[in-house]
Amino acid sequence: MLGQMQEWTMRITHVIDHAAREAGDREIVTRWADGSETRTDWKGIRTDALKMAQALQALGIRKGDRVASLAMNHSRHLVSWYGVAGMGGVLHTVNPRLFEDQLEYIVNHAEDKVMLYDAAFQPIIDKMREKWTTVEHYICYDSGEQSQSFEDWIGAQDGDFEWVTGAETDPCMICYTSGTTGNPKGVQYEHRSTLMHALAGLQPAAFNFSASSVMLPVVPMFHAASWGLPYAGAMAGIKFVFSAVNDPAVLHQLLIDEGVTDSAGVPTVWLAHFQYCDKEGIDLPPLKAATIGGSACPRFMIERLMKNGTRVQHAWGMTETSPIGTVGGPTWDWDQLSFEEKVDKTAMQGRPVFGVELRTVSLDDMVTELPRDGESSGALQIRGPWIIKRYFKAEQDAVGNDGWFDTGDVGIIHPDGTLQLTDRTKDVIKSGGEWISSVELENAACGHPAVAEAACVGMPHPKWDERPVLFVVKKEGQEVEAETIVNFLSDKVAKWWLPDAVEFVDDIPHTATGKISKKDLRDRFADYKLEA
Ligand code: AMP
């Protein structure tokens, strides 16, 4: 006999229906690229999403079709998240910072039929239009000069529309990985996986939203589903403040003027904010919580935000994991920890939210499971209902026979479940059979006052197979010798980890998502030789 509860299909439409019904007049504020500001609310977002769903059907878009967006954070983009899913379509959020060949590849690979874009990206559209073979309709989120404007397009509809129904496992969104090797890969999220992921994001150990939360997400809506915030925020009925530009001065003013309590972004966002406040001689905004992830959050950043009274939620995840894997909320013993201990703990990547499981396996055989002892470092694997099984259009699963997905990250799991990331599998350095963390060397080097950025790669060595070489960009106007850097590192890492060479460079290559591209760095120094 089955249980006897009501049927309820997990679809995204429930999320927007709930937000409009229970928090209908909670504001959604947008500061646009031209400096203007608009205000709507959850009821308004739902009404526009219904009109958009109708408008998409009128264009001939059908269930399962992909609709692309090339846009920053704003209310019309939010409408599209719900409008596309509401008519059974799949929203493909395109990262405008991708390189031209990647943009060409992903739009054609996803077979996007509609392209919704910000006027600021008109030059990209002009360049790519000929190359995108499947896009039939272009709609501009701003007042369109080259294309129909979004407001006119949805304005022609009356909003009398029934959400399209279907299976929980229907796709609703597709995001592509930034692809440091080969072509980017598509990750298709389902209605069910997205809904469960958003629920997980609401846990106090994660975003910790309440009805009074006011969130300004700096993480772009095109990066890893904006960490699920547009859904989790709707579930909790929070106020959203969006900025279509990432200028720290604009963000700062919005944070103050709109009474923002929560924000989320990659570390570089906060770095820019610190610099802005220092230059202006003003205080950091009085945020209650900042979720930081995408790359490791440096210790000094955590310290400064915590001293400002801001709770730092250091999160780890990837496009393939929807993206939340772990988040660093306060542990049970938090109040007993010293300030230093709290900072140390927050500098790690947090603990898994309910729904995902983590394990580490030996880097030598990629099979033997390692103990959660806070010491053993290995390949990080993950499984759960919002973790990828297979890439879009791939012929084979992306997980092993036992259902675990190998993240390509290297980490340590502590006895209390805290994850500490130490490297990427491709970047960890094998010297004389032992592993050296390139990331730890980089982080330590970044603590030197003359170092602006550092990247460490393993270079071929005649005796040890590989030895670390540190590439350093000096801060403007600063002078420093290689030997000084090595001396500086000597009490921070094991002696045998110390780099064999420190090379000063003008710049370090980055990927489209702003991460250090070690592949490009290795290519640049392909002929590099270390002496025995
Ligand atoms: P993406 O799919 O572009 O979001 O990239 C995911 C990758 O970013 C992960 O596999 C990690 O290597 C890295 N990453 C994400 N969050 C963190 C974090 N908190 N600390 C260190 N690395 C991170």
Side-chain angles (χ1 to χ4, degrees):
M1 186 183 171
L2 295 173
Q4 294 172 315
M5 307 308 275
Q6 300 182 4
E7 268 178 37
W8 194 86
T9 315
M10 289 201 205
R11 302 273 299 184
I12 291 305
T13 47
H14 288 302
V15 180
I16 188 64
D17 285 349
H18 171 84
R21 197 169 51 232
E22 310 303 338
D25 53 5
R26 198 79 172 115
E27 274 185 314
I28 312 289
V29 182
T30 302
R31 199 280 190 185
W32 299 90
D34 65 3
S36 64
E37 238 173 63
T38 56
R39 281 165 203 273
T40 177
D41 53 24
W42 283 113
K43 232 185 288 163
I45 297 291
R46 180 174 182 274
T47 305
D48 285 354
L50 285 163
K51 289 183 184 175
M52 182 186 179
Q54 248 177 332
L56 283 168
Q57 278 197 346
L59 288 183
I61 304 305
R62 296 286 166 258
K63 201 169 170 179
D65 285 348
R66 265 82 58 199
V67 174
S69 64
L70 188 72
M72 299 300 285
N73 294 1
H74 48 69
S75 56
R76 290 175 197 141
H77 203 176
L78 183 67
V79 166
S80 313
W81 281 47
Y82 290 106
V84 173
M87 60 75 57
V90 182
L91 182 71
H92 174 197
T93 47
V94 180
N95 180 349
R97 296 184 199 130
L98 289 178
F99 307 113
E100 228 176 281
D101 53 340
Q102 294 176 321
L103 282 172
E104 178 180 348
Y105 175 83
I106 65 170
V107 171
N108 288 337
H109 187 260
E111 298 173 60
D112 296 328
K113 291 218 165 128
V114 182
M115 177 62 66
L116 306 150
Y117 68 95
D118 287 354
F121 300 130
Q122 186 69 48
I124 299 182
I125 301 291
D126 293 342
K127 227 186 288 167
M128 303 305 301
R129 226 175 162 131
E130 291 281 290
K131 297 182 178 163
W132 286 335
T133 52
T134 59
V135 180
E136 294 162 13
H137 309 278
Y138 287 84
I139 289 152
C140 183
Y141 278 121
D142 308 273
S143 53
E145 276 158 30
Q146 324 282 337
S147 315
Q148 190 177 19
S149 90
F150 184 80
E151 292 293 328
D152 289 349
W153 176 55
I154 65 166
Q157 306 295 329
D158 61 9
D160 183 12
F161 184 83
E162 290 282 323
W163 296 129
V164 169
T165 54
E168 297 183 338
T169 45
D170 282 347
C172 62
M173 189 174 236
I174 184 166
C175 293
Y176 278 75
T177 61
S178 50
T180 45
T181 47
N183 279 323
K185 290 185 266 200
V187 184
Q188 245 194 143
Y189 306 138
E190 304 159 346
H191 282 259
R192 171 179 179 269
S193 70
T194 302
L195 205 132
M196 291 181 76
H197 173 264
L199 279 172
L202 286 182
Q203 296 174 44
F207 297 131
N208 190 30
F209 286 146
S210 74
S212 58
S213 302
V214 181
M215 156 62 81
L216 190 159
V218 189
V219 51
M221 290 171 95
F222 57 73
H223 186 211
S226 205
W227 305 351
L229 288 164
Y231 302 119
M235 285 176 168
I238 68 168
K239 167 175 163 180
F240 267 119
V241 180
F242 293 114
S243 177
V245 289
N246 276 342
D247 176 354
V250 171
L251 293 176
H252 189 84
Q253 206 53 47
L254 279 173
L255 290 170
I256 305 284
D257 293 351
E258 298 295 335
V260 174
T261 56
D262 294 66
S263 190
V266 294
T268 43
V269 164
W270 301 103
L271 201 58
H273 213 106
F274 288 179
Q275 283 164 357
Y276 169 75
C277 291
D278 292 345
K279 198 167 121 250
E280 298 294 315
I282 52 177
D283 292 337
L284 289 178
L287 277 178
K288 282 198 185 137
T291 304
I292 305 181
S295 53
C297 182
R299 222 177 168 281
F300 78 89
M301 192 170 281
I302 296 167
E303 233 172 58
R304 183 156 173 192
L305 285 164
M306 274 173 52
K307 282 188 180 148
N308 188 54
T310 303
R311 161 175 145 153
V312 178
Q313 294 156 181
H314 187 185
W316 165 85
M318 52 201 309
T319 306
E320 286 90 336
T321 65
S322 288
I324 305 175
T326 59
V327 190
T331 44
W332 66 268
D333 55 353
W334 192 249
D335 292 340
Q336 295 155 34
L337 302 180
S338 68
F339 181 78
E340 285 300 304
E341 287 168 330
K342 284 178 183 166
V343 175
D344 285 344
K345 195 150 229 183
T346 311
M348 296 187 218
Q349 278 73 9
R351 303 164 71 233
V353 290
F354 170 77
V356 296
E357 284 175 79
L358 293 184
R359 73 173 185 191
T360 49
V361 298
S362 158
L363 283 169
D364 295 316
D365 61 15
M366 295 298 281
V367 183
T368 312
E369 195 170 337
L370 300 178
R372 298 165 153 243
D373 57 5
E375 283 171 20
S376 310
S377 155
L380 179 69
Q381 302 189 336
I382 187 167
R383 67 179 177 192
W386 55 83
I387 310 303
I388 189 164
K389 185 161 167 225
R390 184 182 284 218
Y391 289 103
F392 185 55
K393 292 186 178 172
E395 284 175 4
Q396 280 175 348
D397 284 349
V399 295
N401 289 338
D402 51 3
W404 289 86
F405 173 70
D406 195 88
T407 63
D409 283 323
V410 180
I412 295 169
I413 303 180
H414 288 254
D416 72 352
T418 301
L419 170 69
Q420 181 186 358
L421 274 203
T422 54
D423 219 326
R424 297 278 302 157
T425 337
K426 286 195 287 277
D427 301 331
V428 60
I429 300 159
K430 196 161 195 183
S431 167
E434 300 286 342
W435 299 100
I436 297 175
S437 158
S438 66
V439 172
E440 268 183 59
L441 279 168
E442 286 158 11
N443 287 348
C446 283
H448 190 282
V451 174
E453 192 171 26
C456 185
V457 293
M459 287 294 184
H461 188 279
K463 181 168 176 199
W464 302 108
D465 286 341
E466 269 187 345
R467 287 295 301 158
V469 173
L470 189 69
F471 293 89
V472 169
V473 180
K474 288 183 220 168
K475 277 195 190 147
E476 227 178 285
Q478 299 272 356
E479 276 313 319
V480 63
E481 301 292 319
E483 210 184 313
T484 319
I485 305 256
V486 177
N487 282 339
F488 175 77
L489 294 174
S490 61
D491 62 350
K492 294 174 183 68
V493 296
K495 194 154 175 286
W496 63 276
W497 280 33
L498 289 173
D500 279 30
V502 176
E503 304 290 346
F504 294 101
V505 289
D506 292 336
D507 71 295
I508 285 171
H510 291 94
T511 66
T513 45
K515 295 176 193 183
I516 291 174
S517 173
K518 300 226 177 143
K519 182 187 167 284
D520 289 339
L521 192 61
R522 282 191 207 100
D523 287 352
R524 205 190 270 180
F525 289 91
D527 300 327
Y528 193 89
K529 288 239 161 14
L530 279 171
E531 305 281 309

